[in-house]
Amino acid sequence: MMPGAPALAYGPDEPSLAANVPYVKGAARSLQPLPPPPLWTTWATGTALTADLGHQSSHGTPGLDETLGGIAAGVDYRGVPDLVLGFGLGGAEVSADLKNSLGKTSSDVFQVGVYGSKAFGAAYVSTAFAYSNASSKTERTVSVSPVFETLDGHPNTDLFSGRLEAGWRYAFGPAGVTPYAAVEVQSASTDAYNETSNLPTTAFGLSYRSKTDTGVRTELGSRFDIASAGNWTVFGRVAWVYQDLDAKATALFEASPVSVFTINGTDLPRNAALLSLGSNVRINDSWNFTASADTELSGRTSSIGGRATLRYLW
């Protein structure tokens, strides 16, 4: 997964569950009852992200440049007070280039997820579960005189992920501060595959064994929000991220199947800082728009991403 990329890109990203309750001008003065709040929300999101992962000298692995672009859509149900339940579908294109022109990868990703959030006064608990499938193509070139070989691979990966988050919002007039903690668990299973060569007989093609990697990511930080006198809310986040996920693969040369060895990929850094800033605009009682930007920084990693979401309440 890309640094800073949302593993579960579903669910509301407004500061609170109350953000979608409509406001009727003059209702309090006239003592007119408020209309019932909408029970459903339909939403669509566009996401873009770019990341730079530096080389890892301890593994002798090169750096990596990655880009991601995707869309998702889904539905929320809000028929129970202080509770949101929903599901979503999404797709993305991910590309990665090893530095020094050592190879590249492109992936088509499909994701389906369910999520929920429950408020208990000032406290909340949110959870999400998702399944993703990535169909990838790898390309690399080996040039050892007199051999010049181009090698392609087509790995397929199934990813299961879950996130649990809890926090408590402290209100200060129109503003709020919400300390929170979150844990995310991911399990990725990649099928065995063989590289194919542009030559009749491969000299450097590799066969990769199937593998399953499990990683844990935790966040500890605070969210911030402030509402204007109108229908505009600004929100942000500052958090410390700790993640434990190693990148390894077991391979063998197709020309000599007894030569089994382990490839160490470039690991994500254990510690990183996560920063977010965004705003939500309630256009009217039925429509609202949210835009946000996230960046994740560490000693050898930087990423920046943006997300825009349009919601219709009914």
Side-chain angles (χ1 to χ4, degrees):
M1 187 186 68
M2 299 178 65
L8 306 168
Y10 303 124
D13 50 7
E14 300 100 330
S16 71
L17 293 174
N20 284 327
V21 176
Y23 170 68
V24 179
K25 185 177 180 180
R29 291 194 301 271
S30 63
L31 299 181
Q32 296 175 0
L34 290 173
L39 296 181
W40 298 92
T41 302
T42 303
W43 55 267
T45 294
T47 302
L49 189 144
T50 181
D52 180 4
L53 184 61
H55 77 281
Q56 193 168 9
S57 56
S58 61
H59 288 182
T61 53
L64 187 71
D65 293 319
E66 281 189 286
T67 58
L68 176 149
I71 57 174
V75 175
D76 296 342
Y77 175 69
R78 301 167 182 259
V80 179
D82 300 323
L83 177 67
V84 176
L85 298 173
F87 74 93
L89 299 171
E93 282 278 345
V94 182
S95 62
D97 292 300
L98 290 172
K99 295 183 178 180
N100 301 322
S101 301
L102 293 178
K104 59 183 179 179
T105 301
S106 59
S107 301
D108 295 320
V109 181
F110 166 78
Q111 187 179 60
V112 58
V114 294
Y115 56 89
S117 184
K118 172 65 176 175
F120 303 90
Y124 73 92
V125 176
S126 298
T127 187
F129 301 93
Y131 163 74
S132 304
N133 176 265
S135 178
S136 305
K137 179 182 179 181
T138 65
E139 298 179 41
R140 65 187 183 95
T141 301
V142 180
S143 180
V144 179
S145 182
V147 177
F148 182 86
E149 187 173 13
T150 300
L151 298 160
D152 297 336
H154 297 273
N156 186 78
T157 300
D158 294 309
L159 173 67
F160 295 90
S161 53
R163 179 183 174 95
L164 179 65
E165 177 178 323
W168 187 291
R169 184 177 186 271
Y170 295 91
F172 302 93
V177 178
T178 307
Y180 81 97
V183 60
E184 208 169 279
V185 179
Q186 304 175 39
S187 179
S189 298
T190 303
D191 297 338
Y193 70 97
N194 299 326
E195 290 182 315
T196 58
S197 174
N198 64 322
L199 302 178
T201 303
T202 179
F204 299 101
L206 297 177
S207 294
Y208 291 86
R209 293 180 177 177
S210 61
K211 68 188 185 85
T212 298
D213 296 317
T214 301
V216 178
R217 171 187 169 103
T218 57
E219 295 176 22
L220 186 63
S222 290
R223 300 181 185 273
F224 308 90
D225 65 89
I226 182 168
S228 70
N231 296 325
W232 184 33
T233 301
V234 177
F235 57 91
R237 171 176 53 174
V238 176
W240 165 63
V241 175
Y242 179 82
Q243 49 200 355
D244 184 8
L245 179 62
D246 294 327
K248 294 182 179 180
T250 300
L252 53 86
F253 283 109
E254 296 176 31
S256 177
V258 296
S259 56
V260 179
F261 58 97
T262 299
I263 298 174
N264 291 307
T266 303
D267 297 333
L268 293 175
R270 291 287 189 263
N271 298 281
L274 177 60
L275 307 173
S276 303
L277 182 64
S279 64
N280 173 265
V281 178
R282 186 181 298 148
I283 302 170
N284 54 39
D285 289 346
S286 298
W287 292 93
N288 69 62
F289 176 76
T290 303
S292 61
D294 302 277
T295 184
E296 193 167 306
L297 304 170
S298 72
R300 58 182 179 84
T301 301
S302 63
S303 69
I304 185 168
R307 180 161 48 150
T309 303
L310 184 65
R311 290 183 174 82
Y312 177 71
L313 292 78
W314 48 286

